[in-house]
Amino acid sequence: MEETLASDTQKAKQLTPKEVHEQSLELSKSASGIIPFMEGEIVRLEEESAKFESGEQDNAEFTPFRLRQGVYGQRQADVQMIRIKLPGGRVTPEALDVLSDISANYAPLHKGHITTRENIQFHHIPLSECPDVIRMLGEVGLSTREACGNTVRNVVGSPSAGVCEDEIFDPTPYLAAYVRFGVRNPLTQSFPRKFKTAFTGCESHDAVAAAIQDLTYVSQIKNIDGQPKKGFKVFVGGGTSIMPRLAKPLYEFLPEEDYLRLAQAIWTVFNNAESLRKNRMMARLKVLIDRIGLDEFRDLVEAELSQIGPIDPSPYMDITDLQRERPPVSNGNGSNGVSSNEQSEFNKWKESNVFRQKQEGYFLVYVKPVRGDLTAEQFKGLATILRSFTGGRASATQEQNLALRWVPEEQLGKLWVALKDLGLADPGALTIANVVSCPGTDSCKLGITASMGLAKAIGEEVNSWGELLDDNGVKKIRIKMSGCPNGCGLHHIANIGFHGAAVKGPEGQQIPSYELFLGGNYGDNQVEDSRIGSRIPKVKVPAKMVPGVVRQITNYYKNERSDESEEFNQFLDRVGLEGITEVASKAAEVSETAEPGSDLYFDWERTNAYVLERGEGECAV
């Protein structure tokens, strides 16, 4: 079906999806961001929104269009969530300034949220105001195009791309070309379901959750005829939700000139899989591969490849000006700006949040916002920090942090002071203290529980541990949670993961609860070593008891491990899940005798007694 995705505002023109894609690629040459802004789309959004609100257009027709513009319906009526794509997570000071303005002037809660897909989201925005927000974003090179819907979603990259010590090569230009090739592409506009992609340059360190993506490219260099050749190892078919699967290796080495050809072939196979369209809840690429097997899937892909001619990625890869970082001069001189009575606090932050780059004298610094939230003041302050202390770019991460790049060693103290003034100098960015969560019932229609509230409660519990929190093995534990089984909080790959559930008390009243997952893993090893956590069957822990259960599990591990070098997952492999299951089961049994009106019947950060309410989500529209 033809749709007016772009138009001349003086002379309305119907463009086919193919023409829009070609126009988009042409605009990429001079765009201020990786995804070019197209005014005609926003004019169309205004027109279609007005028709919808006046009752002229049906919701079933309007919703898919709205989603392709990155505007997502919320749990609350008559307001929207705007999701901003950050390809590779990268963001500029100018972008942060605009994000601050949006937080202050359009978002009722005056904050934005970093997601586990390196997006930034704003919530509770009236539909009529969404076009104005998207135009503001376009002025600084940001885009919401295809951030939602059955499209190629935001493409994840490593926050350390280009500065990582063991990087094979920086895949960022390839990531950008893939994004430009995929956005507004006629083939990618109405997949059976969403399609998630990641790029990483490190084979030995997974910073992109590579094993739970539909498609992941891992940088490789192969010696061919005595010459080094760039290419990628390719993984396909990962995903979480109710049928978690780890991605499988499709090709050990794919030459760089073929990687867009492969993307088009995989997209075509996925798009043509009519069996997936019969049930949107079972329509991800992992389902197709599960049904037909990896070998048959590869045969289908290669059949498509035989019909696809060369696709030169180089015209889409010129992002030199967009990605150029201008590191401050590192001279090793100057005071660090930290007072003597703050030195211990600074050292603790530096130990957990600061990492050496491969470039001598420069460091990568992780900022840990609480629950991934940033206020208008914090966005503005971070923009100033980027201009003063970094190469001019930051990266959002899947851990809901922000990574600052190219910080000279002698500026670390002054940077810490500036972050502390913003309330963003918390240590533990890559430790157990960094608890990751989806929005849950704060805004999501599919949410069952208030996972954001629980994340804050667990964070406060962990930070009260004292000596236990200083234990090296404990520090390495990762905790993640989702407000429903779908897994947006990445709980399946956490060492300790939770997803929302509900149980009935003795008099039939509902109690917000969580199912428990143990032993998941990604991040500190190869893609093939990633693991889906084991669900503890028939155990649902009341939400208000989860922080205490986390402490009991952690103490059990610390007290029973063979020695200090035995990490959490190694411990579980050795002793099994029985001991921890007993801890969780005892907590779950409390719901059987919960007195009516007790605290167990109230979810975190809620004043009304809990009632299970689940709306119709838009993820499968």
Side-chain angles (χ1 to χ4, degrees):
M1 183 183 74
E2 293 188 358
E3 63 173 329
T4 313
L5 297 178
S7 66
D8 186 311
T9 52
Q10 277 74 41
K11 183 176 67 175
K13 177 185 177 185
Q14 289 290 109
L15 296 179
T16 67
K18 183 172 186 272
E19 289 172 328
V20 173
H21 179 54
E22 291 170 350
Q23 187 183 108
S24 180
L25 293 179
E26 183 63 27
L27 285 172
S28 296
K29 298 176 182 177
S30 58
S32 58
I34 290 175
I35 302 172
F37 173 78
M38 298 179 75
E39 169 64 21
E41 288 178 346
I42 311 310
V43 172
R44 169 90 188 276
L45 176 60
E46 289 173 324
E47 295 169 349
E48 299 301 315
S49 297
K51 289 180 183 177
F52 170 73
E53 293 192 312
S54 69
E56 294 178 52
Q57 189 176 85
D58 182 77
N59 186 56
E61 183 180 354
F62 176 64
T63 299
F65 167 77
R66 169 170 55 75
L67 290 171
R68 283 193 294 273
Q69 314 314 315
V71 180
Y72 194 95
Q74 285 192 197
R75 189 180 194 91
Q76 298 80 7
D78 302 322
V79 291
Q80 311 293 321
M81 177 263 284
I82 292 181
R83 179 179 290 153
I84 304 160
K85 271 183 163 179
L86 300 181
R90 296 293 177 88
V91 63
T92 65
E94 295 74 23
L96 290 171
D97 281 334
V98 165
L99 296 176
S100 173
D101 292 341
I102 293 169
S103 301
N105 300 316
Y106 290 90
L109 300 180
H110 303 302
K111 66 180 182 179
H113 177 71
I114 302 173
T115 78
T116 57
R117 189 141 204 93
E118 300 179 353
N119 299 296
I120 288 179
Q121 296 178 172
F122 290 101
H123 295 89
H124 307 288
I125 298 179
L127 182 60
S128 61
E129 296 181 5
C130 291
D132 292 339
V133 172
I134 296 173
R135 285 191 176 97
M136 292 173 65
L137 296 168
E139 291 175 0
V140 289
L142 296 180
S143 177
T144 63
R145 177 70 200 193
E146 294 159 43
C148 309
N150 298 317
T151 60
V152 177
R153 297 293 189 85
N154 192 46
V155 181
V156 172
S158 171
S160 61
V163 302
C164 176
E165 291 183 324
D166 60 354
E167 188 173 52
I168 297 170
F169 68 83
D170 181 0
T172 304
Y174 298 86
L175 181 156
Y178 175 93
V179 171
R180 288 173 165 176
F181 182 64
V183 74
R184 303 184 177 98
N185 190 317
L187 184 58
T188 67
Q189 299 308 293
S190 188
F191 281 149
R193 278 296 302 274
K194 57 192 173 185
F195 192 94
K196 297 183 177 181
T197 315
F199 282 74
T200 177
C202 297
E203 188 174 35
S204 61
H205 180 84
D206 174 18
V208 297
I212 59 167
Q213 311 290 340
D214 293 286
L215 173 61
T216 295
Y217 294 95
V218 182
S219 296
Q220 302 284 291
I221 293 180
K222 186 176 182 180
N223 192 295
I224 298 177
D225 298 328
Q227 297 295 321
K229 176 69 176 175
K230 285 184 177 180
F232 298 94
K233 187 171 185 177
V234 179
F235 294 85
V236 294
T240 56
S241 193
I242 57 175
M243 194 185 90
R245 293 290 184 272
L246 296 176
K248 301 174 175 61
L250 185 67
Y251 294 109
E252 289 296 317
F253 183 81
L254 179 79
E256 59 179 329
E257 62 268 22
D258 289 330
Y259 92 104
L260 289 184
R261 290 181 64 242
L262 178 68
Q264 181 168 318
I266 291 174
W267 293 343
T268 303
V269 170
F270 182 46
N271 198 50
N272 290 343
E274 290 301 320
S275 64
L276 297 180
R277 298 184 188 275
K278 296 176 182 178
N279 179 3
R280 290 281 197 181
M281 301 309 295
M282 293 291 288
R284 295 291 298 277
L285 188 68
K286 65 182 179 181
V287 176
L288 177 63
I289 294 173
D290 230 40
R291 287 174 180 171
I292 67 176
L294 183 65
D295 290 339
E296 185 175 339
F297 175 77
R298 186 184 291 109
D299 290 344
L300 291 173
V301 169
E302 292 184 349
E304 292 296 334
L305 280 169
S306 69
Q307 302 178 55
I308 299 172
I311 301 176
D312 181 9
S314 57
Y316 314 132
M317 292 175 67
D318 186 10
I319 58 167
T320 304
D321 290 338
L322 298 180
Q323 295 295 107
R324 181 177 285 118
E325 295 176 273
R326 296 174 174 81
V329 175
S330 176
N331 54 30
N333 298 321
S335 65
N336 67 9
V338 179
S339 65
S340 57
N341 62 336
E342 294 178 317
Q343 195 66 45
S344 175
E345 188 181 357
F346 167 69
N347 289 342
K348 185 176 181 180
W349 169 84
K350 185 177 177 182
E351 179 186 352
S352 63
N353 291 38
V354 178
F355 297 85
R356 189 177 300 277
Q357 294 184 186
K358 66 181 178 183
Q359 294 85 1
E360 185 67 29
Y362 291 97
F363 289 80
L364 183 70
V365 175
Y366 286 91
V367 178
K368 185 173 78 71
V370 176
R371 299 185 287 189
D373 289 342
L374 290 167
T375 67
E377 293 76 14
Q378 288 171 331
F379 276 123
K380 187 71 72 175
L382 284 166
T384 300
I385 283 172
L386 254 63
R387 294 183 175 103
S388 303
F389 298 104
T390 79
R393 297 290 184 274
S395 292
T397 81
Q398 289 188 297
E399 303 293 326
Q400 299 177 303
N401 295 323
L402 204 64
L404 312 182
R405 301 155 56 89
W406 292 99
V407 180
E409 184 169 14
E410 67 274 12
Q411 294 293 326
L412 289 172
K414 293 177 182 178
L415 169 62
W416 177 77
V417 171
L419 289 171
K420 189 175 181 182
D421 288 343
L422 292 173
L424 292 173
D426 287 349
L430 300 184
T431 73
I432 190 173
N434 189 41
V435 181
V436 172
S437 169
C438 72
T441 54
D442 280 19
S443 59
C444 179
K445 292 182 180 181
L446 295 175
I448 297 172
T449 52
S451 49
M452 292 278 277
L454 177 59
K456 183 178 180 182
I458 292 178
E460 291 171 351
E461 167 66 30
V462 167
N463 283 307
S464 73
W465 287 356
E467 292 183 2
L468 178 61
L469 186 56
D470 293 330
D471 182 272
N472 286 329
V474 171
K475 283 181 182 178
K476 292 180 180 180
I477 295 172
R478 300 293 181 267
I479 302 173
K480 303 177 189 291
M481 67 209 61
S482 303
C484 77
N486 286 313
C488 296
L490 307 183
H491 66 271
H492 294 87
I493 54 172
N495 302 118
I496 303 175
F498 299 94
H499 81 55
V503 297
K504 288 185 177 180
E507 296 188 9
Q509 295 168 293
Q510 293 169 320
I511 296 174
S513 304
Y514 285 84
E515 296 200 29
L516 171 62
F517 292 73
L518 294 169
N521 184 62
Y522 87 99
D524 57 356
N525 48 23
Q526 292 187 335
V527 177
E528 293 91 336
D529 297 324
S530 300
R531 292 177 18 171
I532 298 291
S534 299
R535 184 176 71 89
I536 304 301
K538 300 179 181 179
V539 173
K540 295 180 180 179
V541 181
K544 288 296 178 70
M545 299 194 70
V546 170
V549 167
V550 169
R551 181 166 192 156
Q552 288 178 284
I553 290 172
T554 307
N555 272 315
Y556 175 69
Y557 153 67
K558 183 177 183 294
N559 295 333
E560 301 297 328
R561 63 190 175 187
S562 58
D563 56 52
E564 292 185 0
S565 67
E566 185 175 47
E567 296 186 3
F568 185 76
N569 282 5
Q570 294 172 330
F571 169 74
L572 295 179
D573 291 342
R574 179 173 63 83
V575 305
L577 301 178
E578 290 79 8
I580 293 179
T581 299
E582 184 178 351
V583 169
S585 295
K586 287 181 179 178
E589 289 171 3
V590 174
S591 62
E592 298 174 7
T593 57
E595 294 184 10
S598 74
D599 192 44
L600 290 185
Y601 292 96
F602 294 80
D603 212 340
W604 289 101
E605 300 185 338
R606 299 292 186 269
T607 56
N608 295 326
Y610 175 78
V611 177
L612 175 60
E613 295 178 333
R614 185 170 185 169
E616 190 70 28
E618 297 183 345
C619 293
V621 172

